[in-house]
Amino acid sequence: MHVCQRCVSFLLSRTLSAALQQSTRALHQRSHLMLLRHSTRQPLVHTLSQRHSRETWRHFTDHQAASPDVHNKIDLAQKEVVPLNSDVHRISSQVSLSDSQSIDLDAVVRPSPLQEISEEEAVQIQVPSALPPESSTLRPYVDKSETLSKLVQLGVNLWELEQRPNVGSMLVRLDFHADVAPRLLFLKDLGVEESKLGRLLTKNPFILTESLDNLEARVAYLKSKKFSKQSVAAMVSKAPYLLNFSVERLDNRLGFFQKQLGLSAEKTRDVVTRLPRLLCASLEPIKENLKVCELEFGFRGNEIQHIVTTVPKVLTTNKRKLTQIFDFVHNTMDVPHSLIAKFPQILNAKFLRIRERHLFLEYLGRAQYQPSQPNYISLDRLVFLPDDVFCSEVALATLEDFEKFQKTL
Amino acid sequence: MTTQAIRLFRKMDGLFAVYKPQGVHWKHVRDSIESSLLKALNSCPPPAPQLAVQFQLLSSGENSSSKDLVLSPSMLPTLADHPLVTGPQFHKVHVGVGHRLDAFSSGVLVLGVGKRNGVLEHLCKSHVTRDYTLEGEFGKATDNFTDTGRVLEKTTYDHVTQDKLERVLAMIQGANQKALITYSQVDLRTQEAYELAVKGLLYPHGKSPPILTGLRCINFNPPHFTLEVQCVNETQKYLRKLIHEVGLELRTSAVCSGVRRTRDGPFKVENALTRQHWTADSIIQAIAHFRKTTRKIRKSGMYRQTAGQLSTDVQEQTRSQTGHSEQINELHVELSNPTSDTVVDRETPVTVTEGNTKH
């Protein structure tokens, strides 16, 4: 990932003073060449030795190579040193031949810092910026850029964002006062807590480039559908991409859920507030999951409604995993549909956990899942208790026994 | 300057064993162990950020009445070293896998972390056997030899008794012993070869098909039965096919309902880590527990490499092979301590002459 040069030029133009602001790319090359030419005007200078000149040059370029992966630019400049040094040698040899005198090395002609120079020369002095024009990380720019340092202080994970293509360039290009601040204030007005802003921006940096009118229109639409202020804030925190979707798409989704599930408006709002990802994701997997529940599993309509209102995540889980869990619970553990619909959290649990615990209970003779009979174990206690509590209360065995049993599976 | 993270990283260096659950691909096991190690490493506090001189507009200190802001220098931490900008300290931990287990099987899976991953190679080449427990069921035959496959035929199994099963197993074991002797390229008429065979130190050299060095029936409740197998160069599919062949020999059919590896060389099931213990602390403890075994494997691997170089000049093929096996035999005698961790499998039934095993 490269932070592109044009973006960095925006940065440079803001950090350098207005007097030095001229071209963007030529700035560097010209400055290097200017200083070199200054040095080659005096052939008797200590730049006679190649090594010395290269050292001064390296000192110069070290200043620039703040990041580890600097582009070829620096290499190009170093290659220029070699032919220029040969010029120096030629000039020096010419001078020595023409003068035919002993060269007095003490009489070094060097521009003194206190020497007065003309106005034109003063204007032509370019101070090169310490920022590299291209970089694959945001590290060299963070201290110099107001936007980036404020984002880091908010808690935005810049490292994660720079792995995504083009996001780094976009962030460097942003202006804090014009772009970022109004949107942050908008989110704060919406009710999003400041501690959650960092995570939100890390997941969705494109909220900073979405126009404010669109954002406000979408929030107005959600409020018109009678979502309360706190629920809108909660939805935006949980699903950071929510406000990047158009009003038509949100409308389409809400309509789909209300029609397909056959729920009242109140319940649809509740489901969507708890899992706002439903409004962002595509509808095809959700439709497939619903079909699987109806046809493969054989749940009735009202059972599906109850499952979705209790555990909305069932709509977005992997179809294969859902089938595996249901197959085990219904066929191997012999739990009827009604009981599964009563405890739909079991469809959300890890399959290996259900399998190991059930087989342990079966080995002990305590696998009793019918509520009508004694020693009944409810499905949510089977799955959601931590291991030690499960062993002591449900299985009435020690944790070591459970581990030994796991190793026999 | 060693930080806490670097000290923790240096401890993650060695071999340990993990109990792989059934139905999980071995790559997922390796990935989840790597991510839990990385999580522990990245939760250590990061190194202190570098300080840099920055000029800030601060009000001049003494007179609080004057409101003029003065540019004053101060040493502040650079944001370029902030963890949100640099990212996590560790991106990768080298975790390697020894003998692999396919998704249907469960059992002991040896993993290596850090630089000691090279020892895994020595383990694979060394003369170690593996212990399996195979669960079988008479009455049906499927396309992939497991009970979850497509059923191809169903048969009766009332005529099968434990006696008949034992006889079939003895026959299979005899055939495998013959194969072992052939592939170990040892002339059994020599005294040294006889002594090796008596001690149970014969091992196939070079490429060989799967050979069972031990086979017995633990449990017999028709239609279910359980076999215990010690083998070399095997794959789990071969073991499932073995169950199918046992069924065929008994004039019925059988499928395999479980393959469980209980031992891989010196790594036994008692010391394998279950899923709750796949955390950095337990893994480091297990590495410390297996440190001596790891060193033995590494030393035996290095010895075998030098022994291989020494024996290249010998002319006669058999003499070189017996000489080779003698050197390794001496090494094994050195290594086999009275403790339970031995590189050599001691439970091989001594069956040079007879095939009946009594336990």
Side-chain angles (χ1 to χ4, degrees):
Chain A
M1 174 240 116
H2 277 307
V3 180
C4 76
Q5 279 185 314
R6 243 191 302 149
C7 317
V8 177
S9 70
F10 283 119
L11 192 61
L12 290 173
S13 58
R14 259 182 248 125
T15 51
L16 294 172
S17 57
L20 296 174
Q21 194 181 17
Q22 287 189 21
S23 68
T24 55
R25 195 166 177 172
L27 201 88
H28 282 282
Q29 279 186 329
R30 260 211 286 154
S31 65
H32 301 337
L33 289 171
M34 289 293 287
L35 279 154
L36 260 180
R37 283 198 203 112
H38 277 298
S39 67
T40 54
R41 267 188 212 142
Q42 297 90 29
L44 294 173
V45 173
H46 41 263
T47 54
L48 267 177
S49 62
Q50 271 196 4
R51 212 170 119 232
H52 183 80
S53 62
R54 222 178 267 147
E55 270 169 14
T56 48
W57 185 248
R58 208 180 286 129
H59 170 72
F60 199 60
T61 54
D62 272 349
H63 200 47
Q64 300 215 8
S67 79
D69 327 325
V70 180
H71 207 53
N72 311 337
K73 267 205 97 61
I74 303 291
D75 298 334
L76 282 170
Q78 270 183 346
K79 281 182 200 147
E80 289 171 9
V81 174
V82 176
L84 283 165
N85 274 331
S86 55
D87 290 332
V88 170
H89 272 295
R90 259 185 274 129
I91 293 164
S92 66
S93 57
Q94 279 169 16
V95 164
S96 58
L97 281 169
S98 62
D99 284 352
S100 65
Q101 289 167 21
S102 59
I103 299 164
D104 192 3
L105 288 169
D106 291 327
V108 170
V109 181
R110 193 183 330 166
S112 155
L114 299 171
Q115 188 182 13
E116 291 204 18
I117 48 174
S118 60
E119 285 297 310
E120 304 87 51
E121 273 188 59
V123 164
Q124 277 170 0
I125 293 177
Q126 315 286 1
V127 177
S129 155
L131 291 176
E134 284 178 352
S135 160
S136 56
T137 59
L138 287 174
R139 276 190 77 192
Y141 308 121
V142 164
D143 284 307
K144 300 286 183 332
S145 156
E146 196 193 346
T147 325
L148 292 177
S149 31
K150 289 265 166 69
L151 285 177
V152 172
Q153 279 156 18
L154 262 180
V156 178
N157 195 337
L158 287 183
W159 180 81
E160 237 182 80
L161 285 177
E162 73 194 12
Q163 313 296 314
R164 293 165 70 171
N166 299 325
V167 173
S169 313
M170 184 196 81
L171 288 177
V172 167
R173 216 184 300 156
L174 289 176
D175 177 41
F176 186 73
H177 296 288
D179 303 324
V180 181
R183 285 169 184 80
L184 290 179
L185 286 169
F186 166 77
L187 287 172
K188 223 176 125 183
D189 285 335
L190 204 56
V192 178
E193 293 158 42
E194 285 193 22
S195 50
K196 304 226 173 115
L197 273 177
R199 191 188 147 266
L200 204 160
L201 288 173
T202 311
K203 294 276 158 117
N204 182 17
F206 302 109
I207 207 171
L208 298 171
T209 49
E210 192 74 32
S211 77
L212 269 173
D213 302 326
N214 281 347
L215 293 175
E216 279 170 15
R218 286 152 200 173
V219 169
Y221 166 76
L222 287 174
K223 287 200 174 143
S224 75
K225 291 286 174 187
K226 299 195 199 122
F227 281 96
S228 72
K229 192 163 178 274
Q230 296 92 337
S231 48
V232 175
M235 277 161 67
V236 173
S237 315
K238 275 196 200 167
Y241 275 99
L242 186 67
L243 292 180
N244 279 51
F245 288 111
S246 62
V247 173
E248 293 89 32
R249 197 172 155 149
L250 294 175
D251 193 33
N252 192 17
R253 295 268 187 287
L254 282 173
F256 168 79
F257 285 118
Q258 194 159 11
K259 252 191 306 181
Q260 270 285 32
L261 301 173
L263 298 170
S264 68
E266 175 72 42
K267 284 203 173 164
T268 322
R269 255 177 271 146
D270 183 53
V271 166
V272 168
T273 314
R274 277 158 60 200
L275 194 68
R277 247 182 14 216
L278 290 172
L279 292 180
C280 301
S282 74
L283 287 178
E284 288 309 317
I286 300 179
K287 284 183 196 166
E288 274 189 34
N289 275 14
L290 281 173
K291 284 279 176 219
V292 154
C293 283
E294 202 187 306
L295 301 171
E296 261 193 62
F297 299 171
F299 280 117
R300 290 196 300 269
N302 57 345
E303 286 175 340
I304 296 183
Q305 278 181 12
H306 179 77
I307 290 172
V308 168
T309 43
T310 330
V311 183
K313 210 170 165 191
V314 167
L315 292 173
T316 48
T317 48
N318 189 352
K319 195 172 57 164
R320 199 170 36 88
K321 287 186 191 166
L322 192 63
T323 323
Q324 194 185 29
I325 295 177
F326 179 81
D327 175 42
F328 186 78
V329 170
H330 185 62
N331 297 331
T332 318
M333 285 166 65
D334 282 329
V335 177
H337 281 101
S338 49
L339 211 56
I340 300 179
K342 218 168 143 196
F343 296 107
Q345 304 92 333
I346 200 172
L347 293 172
N348 206 13
K350 298 268 175 218
F351 171 69
L352 277 175
R353 204 171 193 196
I354 304 174
R355 183 170 170 262
E356 281 171 3
R357 287 186 177 187
H358 164 72
L359 289 173
F360 188 48
L361 290 177
E362 203 178 31
Y363 176 73
L364 293 173
R366 280 186 227 279
Q368 167 58 278
Y369 307 115
Q370 305 298 331
S372 49
Q373 285 163 23
N375 288 335
Y376 159 67
I377 297 171
S378 68
L379 293 174
D380 60 343
R381 262 162 71 86
L382 173 73
V383 173
F384 286 115
L385 289 178
D387 273 336
D388 40 358
V389 180
F390 168 76
C391 286
S392 52
E393 287 184 27
V394 181
L396 304 171
T398 57
L399 198 57
E400 289 84 23
D401 290 339
F402 184 49
E403 282 175 26
K404 278 187 202 162
F405 180 76
Q406 273 183 318
K407 289 186 191 173
T408 64
L409 290 176
Chain B
M1 248 287 259
T2 47
T3 58
Q4 188 192 352
I6 293 173
R7 267 178 271 137
L8 188 61
F9 182 70
R10 287 201 186 133
K11 282 189 207 162
M12 295 179 186
D13 215 10
L15 297 184
F16 63 102
V18 141
Y19 193 89
K20 183 188 95 70
Q22 195 200 30
V24 177
H25 197 275
W26 60 265
K27 255 192 208 167
H28 294 322
V29 173
R30 196 211 73 86
D31 289 339
S32 57
I33 293 221
E34 185 176 347
S35 47
S36 67
L37 288 176
L38 277 174
K39 201 167 103 176
L41 283 172
N42 289 323
S43 64
C44 292
Q50 286 178 358
L51 299 174
V53 175
Q54 285 180 24
F55 290 91
Q56 284 184 319
L57 288 170
L58 299 169
S59 54
S60 43
E62 292 91 42
N63 10 355
S64 53
S65 57
S66 68
K67 284 198 188 143
D68 44 312
L69 299 166
V70 174
L71 259 186
S72 48
S74 49
M75 293 279 274
L76 292 172
T78 45
L79 275 177
D81 289 330
H82 196 277
L84 286 177
V85 182
T86 55
Q89 295 171 68
F90 289 88
H91 289 271
K92 188 177 163 95
V93 172
H94 288 286
V95 178
V97 176
H99 293 114
R100 299 191 284 261
L101 270 176
D102 63 352
F104 179 75
S105 338
S106 58
V108 173
L109 185 65
V110 179
L111 297 172
V113 196
K115 282 205 201 128
R116 291 277 174 268
N117 272 317
V119 183
L120 279 175
E121 214 187 294
H122 293 315
L123 178 68
C124 291
K125 284 188 194 151
S126 68
H127 296 180
V128 289
T129 57
R130 287 171 282 288
D131 248 1
Y132 284 87
T133 307
L134 305 173
E135 319 257 334
E137 193 185 326
F138 289 122
K140 53 182 180 176
T142 54
D143 55 350
N144 60 357
F145 309 126
T146 62
D147 55 350
T148 51
R150 191 168 55 97
V151 176
L152 294 174
E153 65 173 6
K154 284 194 176 172
T155 54
T156 57
Y157 50 85
D158 310 319
H159 59 277
V160 177
T161 61
Q162 183 150 14
D163 189 40
K164 285 187 192 164
L165 179 64
E166 299 267 350
R167 224 175 286 170
V168 165
L169 294 181
M171 184 208 56
I172 294 175
Q173 201 168 16
N176 272 289
Q177 277 293 323
K178 267 196 211 149
L180 179 63
I181 294 168
T182 337
Y183 280 97
S184 66
Q185 291 166 355
V186 141
D187 189 2
L188 222 64
R189 284 173 290 170
T190 59
Q191 178 64 22
E192 303 96 355
Y194 171 74
E195 277 171 19
L196 274 182
V198 159
K199 285 186 204 158
L201 293 176
L202 286 178
Y203 197 83
H205 285 288
K207 281 204 155 202
S208 82
I211 293 180
L212 312 177
T213 54
L215 175 62
R216 63 173 179 138
C217 172
I218 306 178
N219 200 10
F220 182 77
N221 304 322
H224 299 282
F225 65 101
T226 315
L227 300 180
E228 194 188 325
V229 166
Q230 283 119 29
C231 47
V232 147
N233 273 337
E234 86 293 354
T235 54
Q236 284 83 43
K237 196 165 178 191
Y238 177 80
L239 296 171
R240 293 197 283 273
K241 198 173 166 196
L242 174 76
I243 298 267
H244 171 79
E245 278 167 15
V246 161
L248 285 179
E249 290 290 331
L250 288 167
R251 315 281 176 82
T252 174
S253 51
V255 287
C256 179
S257 48
V259 175
R260 228 180 90 230
R261 181 146 85 193
T262 46
R263 187 182 60 83
D264 186 345
F267 297 94
K268 296 199 171 55
V269 87
E270 293 89 34
N271 306 317
L273 298 173
T274 49
R275 233 170 53 247
Q276 299 96 303
H277 296 297
W278 291 357
T279 56
D281 308 323
S282 321
I283 291 172
I284 291 174
Q285 267 179 7
I287 288 174
H289 181 264
F290 281 113
R291 211 159 41 91
K292 281 198 182 139
T293 328
T294 315
R295 217 167 67 200
K296 275 186 223 161
I297 300 172
R298 188 164 58 96
K299 293 261 163 81
S300 78
M302 281 157 44
Y303 189 90
R304 192 177 310 110
Q305 275 173 6
T306 52
Q309 284 163 17
L310 283 172
S311 63
T312 42
D313 316 320
V314 185
Q315 284 166 18
E316 243 185 286
Q317 184 71 319
T318 44
R319 217 201 303 163
S320 73
Q321 290 305 329
T322 44
H324 196 136
S325 51
E326 266 179 38
Q327 283 173 337
I328 291 171
N329 173 33
E330 283 162 18
L331 170 72
H332 280 207
V333 167
E334 274 169 26
L335 286 180
S336 50
N337 297 330
T339 56
S340 55
D341 304 0
T342 52
V343 179
V344 176
D345 170 33
R346 279 234 201 97
E347 291 164 54
T348 324
V350 178
T351 48
V352 177
T353 51
E354 287 302 318
N356 280 344
T357 54
K358 292 190 187 74
H359 285 271

